[in-house]
Structures are given as C-alpha cells and as structure tokens.
Amino acid sequence: MATVKASEMRAQTSDELKTKLVSLKKEQFNLRFKVAAGENENASRIRIVRREIARLKTVLSEKMNETISETGK
C-alpha cells in the first residue's frame, strides 16, 4: 500500500478520510501484534502507517477548522 500525499487527502470527503483512518488504525493494531508475536516481516510498515495516521488526522483537523470558520462568519 503506497503512501498518500496530504494534497490527495484534502480532495477526499471527511467521511472517506474517517473510513481510511479506521482501516489504518486496524492495520496498526495488527502490526503491533505481529511484532509482539515475532512474525513481522516489514518493520518499516509500522512507521509508514503511523505517519499516514498523523497525516490523516492533520487533514481532518484542517477540514474541521475550515467548516467552523465558515459557519462562524
């Protein structure tokens, strides 16, 4: 699974981003279990998933702030 740029994420809807966030958190959970069990083949994937989650949360936060500022005007 390739990483997604923040600019591509900004083009998606909030619902799509939330769905992707849930799937990435599940993947992160499964990767942590693989590490604990000693059967993780791709250790760098943990770092990639963690950064994608952070990127997603940042874009979601930007969208939330944008909608709040639009309704406040």
Side-chain angles (χ1 to χ4, degrees):
M1 190 163 141
T3 60
V4 182
K5 293 184 178 181
S7 59
E8 295 172 5
M9 288 182 188
R10 287 184 184 98
Q12 297 177 343
T13 65
S14 293
D15 291 334
E16 290 173 334
L17 294 175
K18 288 177 185 175
T19 304
K20 181 143 175 93
L21 181 63
V22 169
S23 69
L24 283 172
K25 285 196 172 225
K26 285 181 183 178
E27 182 179 356
Q28 184 183 36
F29 179 79
N30 290 331
L31 286 171
R32 280 198 307 247
F33 264 92
K34 283 184 178 181
V35 167
E39 54 188 61
N40 189 20
E41 312 97 29
N42 191 358
S44 65
R45 182 69 188 150
I46 297 169
R47 179 178 175 209
I48 293 168
V49 170
R50 187 178 69 236
R51 288 185 178 190
E52 279 196 41
I53 289 172
R55 198 174 294 122
L56 257 172
K57 285 183 174 183
T58 301
V59 172
L60 277 170
S61 175
E62 288 174 355
K63 284 184 178 270
M64 293 279 284
N65 290 338
E66 185 179 295
T67 57
I68 289 171
S69 65
E70 287 176 1
T71 57
K73 289 183 179 179

